[in-house]
């Protein structure tokens, strides 16, 4: 049994703001999937926003503090050595805070001062490991074990796996990636492909799997976001995909909303469905569509699954 297999069996869970809002189906399916696989999530006590894009754009060091507080609670109060963040934005910001605290004296000073004022222990770089939901399932279970547990194969379902831009960029805040065989790649990520293939899916390759969906501009410049999403959806459909699998609540919401907007405003219709990878894996393990929140998606994924007699 590998070290990661043991370490990831029980992890601190940081859902972040989005998973308690528009990404509720991701939250629900992540918890259901973990339970079905015998993995344990302990939600971080009294967690706060990671600083997301809004705070980071005003003062990056305040964002570093906000993310460090989450890691401090998980490490110093809950005594975890791993925190799992399913949201690309949260995952990215915690990893960035880790990098800043290890490499920038000014960031350390700000975090120490604010932590003292807030009355909690200052987070020290290296105290905890931040992982994404893909790392969690990939390393705690793995494809071989996952395949053994499949009760409802995704066989025949053509899936385009969409990772978004924040999962792999900038590469210097993800030192564990690009480390050769077995590690995730920042240029050609494959963890989601590996897991869904183990569940029987027929993955299709498409060029925009790490392209930006325009999530940061969806309110200030909706037309640009719609254009970026349309490019992604059209590339996936042209590759033959029936479903786009997602692993970020912001990307997922953006794809669903701008797919509708593209049709209403620009007359660009597409039939591909948007489904979280945790929902697909949950269904493959025999969980019901409602159990993984498929009924909460805007995109009607049931039709694509029923066509393959999967749900």
């Amino acid at each position: 049994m590998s070290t990661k297999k043991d370490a990831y069996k029980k992890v601190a869970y940081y859902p972040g703001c989005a998973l308690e809002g528009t990404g509720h189906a991701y939250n629900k399916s992540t918890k259901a999937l973990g339970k079905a696989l015998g993995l344990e999530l302990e939600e971080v006590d009294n967690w706060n926003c990671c600083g997301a894009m809004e705070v980071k754009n005003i003062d990056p060091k305040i964002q570093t503090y906000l993310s460090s507080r989450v890691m401090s609670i998980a490490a110093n109060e809950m005594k975890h050595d791993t925190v799992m963040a399913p949201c690309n934005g949260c995952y990215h910001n915690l990893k960035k805070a880790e990098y800043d605290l290890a490499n920038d004296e000014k960031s350390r000073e700000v975090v120490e001062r604010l932590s003292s004022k807030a009355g909690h222990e200052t987070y020290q770089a290296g105290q905890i490991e931040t992982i994404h939901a893909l790392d969690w399932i990939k390393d705690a279970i793995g494809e071989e074990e996952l395949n053994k547990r499949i009760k409802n194969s995704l066989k025949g379902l053509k899936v385009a796996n969409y990772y978004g831009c924040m999962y792999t960029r900038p590469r210097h805040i993800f030192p564990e990636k690009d480390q050769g065989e077995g590690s995730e790649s920042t240029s050609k990520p494959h963890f989601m492909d590996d897991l869904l293939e183990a569940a029987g899916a027929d993955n299709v390759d498409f060029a925009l799997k790490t392209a930006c969906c325009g999530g940061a501009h969806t309110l200030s410049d909706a037309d640009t976001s719609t254009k970026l999403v349309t490019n992604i959806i059209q590339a996936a459909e042209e590759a033959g995909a029936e479903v786009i699998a997602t692993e970020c609540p912001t990307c997922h919401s953006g794809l669903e909303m701008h797919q509708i907007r593209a049709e209403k405003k620009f007359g660009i219709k597409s039939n591909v469905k948007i489904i979280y990878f945790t929902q697909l894996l949950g269904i493959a393990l025999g969980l019901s569509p409602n159990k993984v929140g498929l009924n909460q998606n805007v995109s009607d994924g049931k039709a694509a699954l029923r066509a393959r007699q999967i749900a």
Side-chain angles (χ1 to χ4, degrees):
M1 183 176 286
S2 72
T3 302
K4 285 185 176 179
K5 242 185 208 324
D6 289 332
Y8 296 172
K9 192 168 180 60
K10 181 179 180 179
V11 298
Y13 180 48
Y14 176 46
C17 311
L19 269 73
E20 290 202 342
T22 57
H24 182 66
Y26 194 20
N27 194 18
K28 186 174 185 178
S29 57
T30 298
K31 290 179 177 178
L33 178 62
K35 187 174 181 180
L37 290 170
L39 304 177
E40 190 173 348
L41 295 171
E42 187 176 12
E43 189 162 319
V44 175
D45 295 331
N46 192 27
W47 55 263
N48 52 265
C49 171
C50 67
M53 292 164 283
E54 295 80 1
V55 175
K56 187 166 60 181
N57 291 340
I58 296 170
D59 188 336
K61 289 183 172 47
I62 299 297
Q63 180 269 309
T64 298
Y65 164 69
L66 291 171
S67 293
S68 79
R69 180 182 178 274
V70 173
M71 294 189 285
S72 176
I73 293 171
N76 297 318
E77 298 178 19
M78 300 174 70
K79 306 303 180 186
H80 279 283
D81 54 17
T82 306
V83 61
M84 190 276 280
C87 168
N88 279 3
C90 297
Y91 169 65
H92 175 279
N93 285 339
L94 265 60
K95 297 288 285 188
K96 179 180 178 297
E98 184 75 39
Y99 179 84
D100 288 346
L101 290 172
N103 295 281
D104 179 47
E105 180 59 32
K106 184 63 178 174
S107 289
R108 288 194 288 271
E109 290 175 6
V110 170
V111 166
E112 185 171 351
R113 176 166 51 84
L114 293 180
S115 298
S116 177
K117 282 188 175 181
H120 64 82
E121 193 169 341
T122 302
Y123 178 76
Q124 307 293 332
Q127 277 190 280
I128 202 165
E129 179 187 20
T130 297
I131 62 172
H132 191 273
L134 287 171
D135 303 304
W136 182 50
I137 303 301
K138 172 89 171 177
D139 290 323
I141 301 296
E143 298 95 291
E144 186 176 344
E145 181 61 29
L146 179 66
N147 181 261
K148 290 178 184 175
R149 302 188 190 196
I150 297 303
K151 299 176 181 176
N152 188 24
S153 173
L154 304 178
K155 186 177 180 180
L157 185 68
K158 298 186 185 307
V159 180
N161 297 292
Y162 175 62
Y163 295 82
C165 58
M166 297 185 79
Y167 174 69
T168 59
R169 293 196 289 269
R171 64 188 304 174
H172 68 268
I173 69 172
F174 305 108
E176 71 281 10
K177 292 176 180 169
D178 298 322
Q179 296 301 311
E181 187 177 358
S183 71
E184 181 62 295
S185 166
T186 54
S187 59
K188 295 181 179 178
H190 55 87
F191 277 14
M192 188 158 42
D193 293 70
D194 297 344
L195 294 172
L196 289 176
E197 183 179 1
D202 184 3
N203 293 323
V204 302
D205 196 20
F206 77 119
L208 301 184
K209 58 171 49 179
T210 63
C212 177
C213 68
H217 309 289
T218 194
L219 297 178
S220 60
D221 187 355
D223 285 356
T224 294
S225 295
T226 300
K227 177 62 176 173
L228 292 172
V229 164
T230 301
N231 290 343
I232 293 164
I233 288 176
Q234 288 181 328
E237 279 201 308
E238 287 170 6
E242 300 163 278
V243 167
I244 295 178
T246 57
E247 40 84 282
C248 170
T250 302
C251 296
H252 185 98
S253 299
L255 263 61
E256 287 191 318
M257 290 189 296
H258 289 285
Q259 184 182 33
I260 294 171
R261 191 170 186 270
E263 182 173 354
K264 286 187 174 180
K265 183 166 183 178
F266 302 109
I268 303 172
K269 183 174 174 54
S270 55
N271 294 313
V272 68
K273 307 304 179 188
I274 320 298
I275 304 178
Y276 287 110
F277 88 97
T278 44
Q279 294 178 313
L280 290 170
L281 290 183
I283 288 170
L285 288 170
L287 302 179
S288 71
N290 287 355
K291 188 76 175 177
V292 296
L294 199 63
N295 57 322
Q296 297 173 355
N297 289 8
V298 174
S299 179
D300 183 11
K302 280 188 178 180
L305 299 180
R306 282 174 180 159
R308 297 290 180 184
Q309 298 183 321
I310 295 169

